[in-house]
Amino acid sequence: MKTILKNVQIKAVNSWLPSNSLEMLSLGSLYGEFEVNTIMKATGVNRVRIANKDMTSADMCRKAAEALFEQECIGREEIDGLVFVSQTPDYILPATSILLQEKLMLSKDTVCIDIHYGCSGYIYGLFQASLWVSSGACKNVLVLSGDTTSRMINPNDKSLRMVFGDCGTSTLVSKGSDLIGFHIQSDGSGSDRLIVPAGGFRLPCSEETSVLEWDEDHNGRTKNDLFMDGIAIFNFAISQVHKNINTLIEYMEWNKADVGFYALHQANDFMVNYVRKKLKISADIAPTNVSNFGNTGPASIPLLFSDLCPAEYNLKKVIMCGFGVGLSWGSVAANLSNTHFYQPINK
């Protein structure tokens, strides 16, 4: 799917981080120092943030939204749309976006929707919000994206525990005069490459799904835990992501040399570096920040903006790209030269 929507502006972006930090080097006694250093060198992740047990992704996103109201001096009554993007909702039902409408004290005329996506989720959140704004249905939409991925990872699974972190973000999409372009793709044949096998209605949690199993790399997990085929996801990313981005740039009729910033999903250093090579772009305009935060799923792109507050970049032509679970991947082309970026909050 490719489309260009009119009269949309991404007005502001911020993020909220848990105060708890897990240092990868602290896991040496558990997994072995050599193994830990090898994984750190490959992923570029030195530490991640971990939410308290009583804090959900909705709680983190709510804190980000509350801060955004103050930072942007926008009234709650001005918000008429709310999109919650997460794979770790508060409940199976009701929708978490509905709960956030009440907790944020938004108008009862606010349209709310949950999007159950991971690493490509921010792209879908922006798409949904932009549709509402471009159509004239809404004037100001909050896109709240975040995950507590750490809750889905078995402590015995070093391959994932040393990569994924928790974060909540808030993005304000408003009526404006800019164009915003999208290119979104899906491939369900790869759904088993990144999955929590049990816990839904297809395979409910049980004693059988709770049995700890070990793979050939000595990672332990149950069927209730997150599983990722890292090699398959890597091969997917380096074969498809650059094509998706280049197609969008061509569709927008942009000169690739004029793109001033690429906000790529922060999967890990190794993967982002390969995508950059495929795109033939430098790290100067496609930076990473996985070192301090790891892979934060649907929060990784807005966290990148919030962390860098990239005022020194040319943001008139920006590409954002998310890719992962589904398999699902997509890109956004937008003018962010007037967007307000606020540094991460953790208090």
Side-chain angles (χ1 to χ4, degrees):
M1 183 280 293
K2 296 187 292 291
T3 192
I4 297 174
L5 301 176
K6 300 178 180 179
N7 303 319
V8 180
Q9 176 189 3
I10 298 175
K11 194 172 181 181
V13 179
N14 78 355
S15 60
W16 192 91
L17 290 161
S19 58
N20 297 332
S21 180
L22 174 63
E23 299 288 332
M24 297 302 105
L25 287 175
S26 70
L27 299 175
S29 59
L30 180 61
Y31 303 135
E33 291 185 6
F34 177 80
E35 188 74 11
V36 167
N37 283 312
T38 299
I39 294 174
M40 288 176 61
K41 185 176 180 180
T43 64
V45 179
N46 294 328
R47 63 192 60 84
V48 297
R49 298 297 184 91
I50 304 295
N52 292 333
K53 291 183 178 180
D54 61 349
M55 176 165 285
T56 70
S57 52
D59 294 332
M60 295 189 294
C61 288
R62 177 188 175 186
K63 288 178 179 292
E66 294 281 6
L68 200 64
F69 289 140
E70 297 180 9
Q71 292 161 336
E72 283 296 299
C73 298
I74 184 170
R76 298 168 194 269
E77 72 282 356
E78 297 179 67
I79 302 298
D80 47 14
L82 192 157
V83 180
F84 178 67
V85 184
S86 181
Q87 295 176 123
T88 52
D90 280 10
Y91 305 102
I92 292 178
L93 59 87
T96 305
S97 56
I98 296 290
L99 304 179
L100 284 167
Q101 174 273 328
E102 189 272 334
K103 290 180 178 179
L104 290 170
M105 296 182 288
L106 303 181
S107 165
K108 291 182 180 179
D109 287 328
T110 304
V111 57
C112 300
I113 193 170
D114 282 22
I115 297 181
H116 193 77
Y117 270 73
C119 301
S120 64
Y122 187 63
I123 306 303
Y124 277 82
L126 291 180
F127 179 54
Q128 185 64 70
S130 298
L131 278 173
W132 287 348
V133 171
S134 182
S135 70
C138 295
K139 292 182 180 179
N140 295 291
V141 180
L142 282 178
V143 178
L144 306 182
S145 58
D147 263 342
T148 49
T149 309
S150 62
R151 308 278 173 79
M152 299 189 285
I153 298 172
N154 192 292
N156 295 292
D157 191 344
K158 58 183 178 293
S159 67
L160 298 185
R161 192 179 180 195
M162 293 185 62
V163 173
F164 286 94
D166 303 333
C167 179
T169 69
S170 179
T171 300
L172 179 60
V173 180
S174 301
K175 184 178 180 181
S177 58
D178 292 328
L179 301 175
I180 185 167
F182 294 88
H183 183 203
I184 297 175
Q185 297 179 274
S186 309
D187 181 8
S189 69
S191 60
D192 61 343
R193 313 294 166 77
L194 189 49
I195 188 173
V196 178
F201 293 101
R202 178 69 61 187
L203 182 62
C205 292
S206 65
E207 288 187 12
E208 292 181 359
T209 66
S210 302
V211 175
L212 183 64
E213 300 173 344
W214 298 86
D215 64 20
E216 58 186 12
D217 295 317
H218 307 291
N219 292 301
R221 68 182 73 87
T222 73
K223 287 184 171 60
N224 303 329
D225 303 317
L226 180 64
F227 164 78
M228 181 173 71
D229 183 337
I231 294 177
I233 295 296
F234 171 76
N235 289 335
F236 146 69
I238 65 171
S239 66
Q240 298 299 326
V241 171
H242 70 287
K243 296 177 184 177
N244 180 281
I245 291 173
N246 286 331
T247 297
L248 179 58
I249 292 173
E250 182 179 342
Y251 183 69
M252 296 293 293
E253 298 183 349
W254 285 2
N255 185 330
K256 189 174 181 180
D258 293 335
V259 177
F261 192 85
Y262 290 82
L264 304 176
H265 167 56
Q266 301 294 292
N268 58 63
D269 264 347
F270 188 68
M271 194 176 297
V272 173
N273 283 336
Y274 263 87
V275 172
R276 281 195 299 234
K277 289 178 182 178
K278 287 284 188 175
L279 286 168
K280 299 180 180 178
I281 58 175
S282 71
D284 292 337
I285 58 172
T288 62
N289 70 340
V290 295
S291 175
N292 291 319
F293 310 114
N295 181 341
T296 54
S300 78
I301 294 174
L303 175 59
L304 179 69
F305 282 124
S306 178
D307 180 42
L308 298 180
C309 295
E312 70 274 21
Y313 295 94
N314 179 1
L315 300 180
K316 288 185 177 180
K317 293 182 177 179
V318 171
I319 293 292
M320 294 168 265
C321 182
F323 48 89
V325 61
L327 299 170
S328 174
W329 63 111
S331 301
V332 179
N335 176 6
L336 301 186
S337 59
N338 295 314
T339 304
H340 302 152
F341 302 106
Y342 298 100
Q343 291 185 338
I345 306 158
N346 59 314
K347 60 182 180 178

